[in-house]
Amino acid sequence: MVQNHHRGCHHQDHQEIVRENKEKRPKFFINDHVDILIEILKRLDCRSLCVAASVCRLWCTIARNDSLWENLCFRHVSPPPSSLRSVVLALGGYKRLYMGCVRPVQSRLGRVRRASWARDEVQLSLSLFCVDYYERLGGGSSSNGRLVGESSPSSLMFLCKPVNV
Amino acid sequence: MSLHDSASSAAGSSSGSSSSLSSSKPPPSSLQQDIVRHLAGAGYTIRSSDLPQVAQRLERLETAMGSSPADFFQLASDAILYNPSDLASWVDSLLSEFTQLPTCCFEFILAPVDNAWTTAELHEPRVQQNITYEQQSLDRQLTVVTAMEEDSDIRLVHKLMACAECVQRGDFSSATSLIDDMQGLLARVNTVCGIRKVAGHFIDALSRRIFLGIGGGSVDGCGSAFENEILYHHFYEACPYLKFAHFTANQAILEAFDGHDCVHVVDVNLMHGLQWPALIQALALRPGGPPLLRLTGIGSPSPDGRDSLREIGSRLAVLARSVNVRFAFRGVAASRLEDVKPWMLQVNPKEAVAVNSIMQLHCLLISDPTLNSPIETVLNWIRDLNPKILTVVEQEANHNQLDFLDRFTEALYYYSRMFDSLEACRVQPEKALAEIYIQKEIRNVVSCEGSARVERHEPLAKWRRRLSGAGFMSLPLGSNAFKQASMLLTLFSAEGYSVQENDGCLSLGWHSRPLIAASAWQAMPEPGSCVSCLE
């Protein structure tokens, strides 16, 4: 009994020592440092960003922020004109632009891409994105000749289908 | 070799299977025993001594089925069920079925092979002796199988030509019998691919011409404007032709508008206005800021009182407002393009005008000596607007010849190429509706005449002559347009599309045969103004 008590005392001391050491080291949770988190997420590619969005609510909110996707769209391109942002936001935002147009365009054209084409790819994506927005506008009103029940715009469908190589 | 699952269960036949009881034959090898055991497990009884014979007969059966697919379908539909669990007798009975079929199915097979087949059957096959001989004939038969499919395609095309020729001569009775022949031929072969799908549409158009007469197509040919819009929209989705047309024209218009602050676009056929969002967006982003854009859309009046032009216009206005482009829309409803007068368009003399025509001008090529030529009327009022650019996109085909047979031949090859290119589209129902859209064109080209025939396509060379004669000069399309068109094509999943540059005009084709051509023109300066420059 006496021996056990001794051992218990030692164990308690040990625990206190460990706790003290822990308190001396600063605890680092990435979620406390949102600016660092944003810097890291800014550099991710599309797939990793989508995976990051499913980690926790904070990460999800950050990953959905349009400026991260803007970064993704223009990563390999010289900085776009300042008027571009208002146009893209009006047409549906960078995330939609990237997922709907830029990504399929870049992956399809990747086989034949030359360095000078990157800007043209973005231009083409923008044009297609604009047509898509226009069709989405029309989807709301039923009196413009679309078949009943066909509410989703389909002019970008050809981008979604797998490439027949 | 496809073995049909037999309804008779494995249990019943597995009992008597693996034992080879005839003692007079040499003992079966272990491989043969294995095969017999596996077949028994699948439900087929066979003696291992019979294995080589049955294998060889199955090969013959396969080639027999392959070389006469039409009769095979008859066989399948006769529905005499053989019990396949006894493999040897099943194969023998099927083979005897095939040899009893009338010899017309062998008419495509080359003569030497024919002899080989019949001699092999007449003399009861002694397997060991005939093996090498039949192996050679098998090889020849296998090559004949593919030749026969192509052969039926060629026969179909020849029959189509012969039928068109009869129609041109006025010999409707032989034309009708040829049509029956062809429909029989089509019913027996696979109509999913190749020229057969198109052939079906051409046969339909020819029979309309014969039975409904040359004006008969017009009543049905219009459809309602609503239907036409839907078909047009699906044609836009399913293949790149219209997208190429829109993007190329937009690029040319954008370059022509460079430096102008007031611009006016006249669209000769507005449809859904799918071309204009991209132009509005490009103008919004051009360096120096967007101009004031006015768009005048010409379209046919809608029968049910809907002001569809205004609806399209307001949608475009919403889009323009979102991207901060000053925009004004005006709709001109006219059932015929030659009825439009320049004053209806309200063009401001200070603004830069662009006139855009996507596959519309060919409808005006009716050559009726009693009327003023509609194409000249329209080209004159376009000229009077003094446009900075006139973009013309037309089908690259010669479907306006006087001779019916020439027109028919040209149309057959043109539309079969177009259907080939459509095969790559994976998006349904867009593909089916796009095919109906093309089918309407085919019907119009083949079965209508006079004012009912509106699809009077002419090749680029003819348009060049016509437009030069009307006071326009060619404006080269530039490398940006070419680059954009090539990129657009790469996005489409088919690998056969190609863009070609032809003396300043771009054409999109399938396997380097052009199907649609885009060109840009500007009004030639008046001779009077040149004189004033000299002074």
Side-chain angles (χ1 to χ4, degrees), chain A residues 81 83-84 86-87 90-91 104-105 108-109 111-112 116-117 120-121 123-124 126-128 130-131 133-135 137-139 141 143-147 150 154-159 161-165, chain B residues 226 229-230 233-234 236-237 243 247 272-274 277-278 280-281 284-286 306 311-312 315-316 318-319 322-324 424 426-430 433 480 483-484 486-488 490-495:
Chain A
S83 48
L84 182 60
S86 53
V87 169
L91 296 179
V105 166
R108 298 255 179 110
L109 294 182
R111 306 195 294 270
V112 292
S116 59
W117 276 20
D120 296 325
E121 286 168 17
Q123 296 274 31
L124 184 61
L126 274 171
S127 304
L128 292 170
C130 202
V131 179
Y133 171 76
Y134 178 70
E135 290 191 314
L137 275 182
S141 67
S143 56
N144 66 342
R146 294 197 76 98
L147 296 171
E150 188 189 334
S154 45
S155 84
L156 294 184
M157 288 282 273
F158 75 101
L159 285 178
K161 294 298 164 183
V163 178
N164 175 27
V165 184
Chain B
F226 182 79
E229 281 183 13
I230 294 181
H233 197 98
H234 285 92
Y236 179 87
E237 311 281 344
K243 287 194 171 85
F247 277 58
H272 283 176
L274 282 169
I280 294 176
Q281 172 257 308
L285 291 174
R286 74 169 189 179
R306 276 188 316 130
E311 284 172 20
I312 307 284
R315 252 169 71 180
L316 286 168
V318 169
L319 179 111
S322 335
V323 298
N324 281 328
R426 299 254 184 279
V427 189
Q428 292 283 9
E430 277 77 8
L433 290 173
N480 280 336
K483 224 176 2 177
Q484 186 180 235
S486 315
M487 276 204 305
L488 188 65
T490 321
L491 294 178
F492 271 84
S493 42
E495 295 276 309

Side-chain angles (χ1 to χ4, degrees), chain A residues 38-51:
Chain A
I38 291 178
E39 284 299 315
I40 297 174
L41 291 180
K42 251 200 232 172
R43 286 157 171 77
L44 290 181
D45 65 318
C46 168
R47 192 171 183 280
S48 313
L49 200 53
C50 294
V51 167

Side-chain angles (χ1 to χ4, degrees), chain B residues 152-428:
Chain B
S152 65
D153 282 351
I154 295 172
R155 284 174 80 214
L156 200 54
V157 171
H158 284 165
K159 284 202 162 124
L160 272 170
M161 298 302 183
C163 187
E165 204 186 354
C166 293
V167 168
Q168 181 172 291
R169 278 200 315 257
D171 183 4
F172 290 145
S173 52
S174 21
T176 317
S177 63
L178 275 168
I179 285 185
D180 288 335
D181 274 353
M182 288 191 285
Q183 279 173 342
L185 199 65
L186 273 184
R188 290 188 297 160
V189 299
N190 186 5
T191 50
V192 171
C193 57
I195 205 172
R196 299 165 210 156
K197 208 177 205 179
V198 189
H201 296 315
F202 274 89
I203 293 172
D204 168 72
L206 277 171
S207 33
R208 277 167 175 269
R209 192 185 175 100
I210 295 174
F211 298 118
L212 293 177
I214 54 180
S218 67
V219 176
D220 165 76
C222 289
S224 72
F226 182 79
E227 283 172 12
N228 281 347
E229 281 183 13
I230 294 181
L231 291 177
Y232 183 87
H233 197 98
H234 285 92
F235 183 62
Y236 179 87
E237 311 281 344
C239 42
Y241 302 110
L242 286 178
K243 287 194 171 85
F244 163 78
H246 291 175
F247 277 58
T248 310
N250 281 344
Q251 184 68 30
I253 294 176
L254 191 66
E255 288 173 4
F257 280 168
D258 197 20
H260 293 269
D261 285 328
C262 288
V263 301
H264 187 166
V265 176
V266 177
D267 190 359
V268 152
N269 186 10
L270 189 61
M271 278 290 189
H272 283 176
L274 282 169
Q275 181 173 354
W276 306 117
L279 183 68
I280 294 176
Q281 172 257 308
L283 285 173
L285 291 174
R286 74 169 189 179
L292 165 64
L293 171 66
R294 289 179 56 207
L295 174 65
T296 301
I298 302 175
S300 46
S302 28
D304 52 355
R306 276 188 316 130
D307 196 352
S308 54
L309 284 174
R310 179 180 284 195
E311 284 172 20
I312 307 284
S314 48
R315 252 169 71 180
L316 286 168
V318 169
L319 179 111
R321 203 167 34 241
S322 335
V323 298
N324 281 328
V325 173
R326 291 166 296 155
F327 179 78
F329 176 82
R330 188 181 161 75
V332 175
S335 49
R336 292 184 324 160
L337 204 51
E338 53 264 35
D339 293 336
V340 176
K341 306 279 183 293
W343 59 263
M344 294 180 192
L345 304 173
Q346 294 190 350
V347 170
N348 196 328
K350 292 209 195 67
E351 55 191 12
V353 179
V355 181
N356 179 68
S357 155
I358 308 280
M359 308 204 300
Q360 278 302 122
L361 289 182
H362 63 251
C363 303
L364 304 166
L365 290 176
I366 299 168
S367 55
D368 190 341
T370 60
L371 301 171
N372 281 339
S373 163
I375 181 75
E376 281 179 19
T377 318
V378 172
L379 284 178
N380 279 339
W381 70 247
I382 293 180
R383 182 89 183 54
D384 287 341
L385 295 175
N386 199 14
K388 271 231 117 235
I389 187 168
L390 161 68
T391 48
V392 174
V393 180
E394 286 290 329
Q395 287 95 332
E396 179 68 10
N398 200 353
H399 296 157
N400 200 18
Q401 290 148 336
L402 289 170
D403 190 35
F404 174 72
L405 188 58
D406 289 339
R407 206 178 345 136
F408 184 85
T409 317
E410 173 88 20
L412 185 60
Y413 288 118
Y414 179 83
Y415 285 108
S416 55
R417 267 181 271 146
M418 196 171 256
F419 263 83
D420 272 349
S421 73
L422 204 51
E423 278 306 303
C425 171
R426 299 254 184 279
V427 189
Q428 292 283 9

Side-chain angles (χ1 to χ4, degrees), chain B residues 136-153:
Chain B
Q136 290 168 18
S137 62
L138 267 175
D139 289 338
R140 259 181 290 174
Q141 276 175 350
L142 283 171
T143 53
V144 157
V145 167
T146 47
M148 182 183 151
E149 293 223 325
E150 288 172 9
D151 202 34
S152 65
D153 282 351

